[in-house]
Amino acid sequence: MTSYPTSLGTSTSDEIRLLGQDLTADLMGKVGFGELAFWLVAMRRPTPSETRVFEAVLVALADHGFTPTAIAARLTYLSAPDSLQGALAAGLLGGGSRFLGVTEDCGAFLDAVVTDLGDDLPRSDEQWDAAALAAVRRTKESGRYVPGLGHPVHKDGDPRTPVLLAIAEEEGLRGPHLRLFEAVGRVHEQVLGRRLPLNGAGVCGAALADLGLPVEMLRGFALLARAAGLLGQLAEERRRPVGMDVYLSVDRNAEYVDPQS
């Protein structure tokens, strides 16, 4: 008989089981959504401290105003108001290397450095600074950007970064990825020649990596958070629409230029 093994959800005519638990008796009303999302990926129930940090990340990434992802969702809804799922998907598809995807890119960058350090992790800020300086220098020499640096709006500092660092510290979860990220913030100017803020997407990636979540899945958590924000954007588009104004503003101000000029 063919079987399809899973550690997630199964059901019978009278029962639904999820993660080895009875959905209705063990989970509903007893497990928060953030806690469940962590559990589904990590295959272990997070501690209260881990849940607090994880949910702080989700809140930090849920919405950031009229970003390209929000505009894409609103304009898709304008074009196809019968397809809420299409509008939501349009916004999520925009999560990439400039918006949202930085969470995964930064987490992977930091994790590669931490992995290379092995068991001999730095013990002081000076040692973390040395490791960060070498990593930033290698990245620049290879012609790549250091993920997690800079923000199009928060030029002088992303307000989310110090708060998430403080929460992780309070919960005893300020691990090597966050420490390395902070060190990158201290030393990158020596290599790049200018000071850039540590952005919120980057610190979220560092925090998620310190929670032991697989770095190749971190973008998924950013998208999970932004799905809630996009749903809010679409609800507001229904109440107070701006999609038509955005469309008309671009359309009425389009100006033909000779492609050879």
Side-chain angles (χ1 to χ4, degrees), residues 81-103:
D82 53 314
S83 179
L84 181 69
Q85 71 275 19
L88 190 62
L92 294 176
L93 288 171
S97 59
R98 290 188 176 177
F99 291 86
L100 288 179
V102 175
T103 297

Side-chain angles (χ1 to χ4, degrees), residues 52-53 163-175 178 207:
R52 184 181 179 221
V53 172
V163 173
L164 189 52
L165 286 168
I167 292 172
E169 178 70 22
E170 290 170 9
E171 299 299 336
L173 292 170
R174 183 167 156 255
L178 282 169

Side-chain angles (χ1 to χ4, degrees), residues 187-205:
V187 306
H188 70 271
E189 189 175 8
Q190 298 176 44
V191 178
L192 304 183
R194 58 175 177 152
R195 176 157 293 279
L196 297 167
L198 294 173
N199 61 50
V203 74
C204 286

Side-chain angles (χ1 to χ4, degrees), residues 109 113 117 126-142 144 146 180 183-184 187-188 190-191:
F109 166 77
V113 177
L117 290 171
E126 291 75 16
Q127 291 174 327
W128 279 115
D129 287 356
L133 189 62
V136 172
R137 186 171 287 121
R138 287 194 303 269
T139 303
K140 183 184 180 183
E141 289 172 351
S142 67
R144 295 177 289 123
V146 178
L180 178 61
V184 169
V187 306
H188 70 271
Q190 298 176 44
V191 178

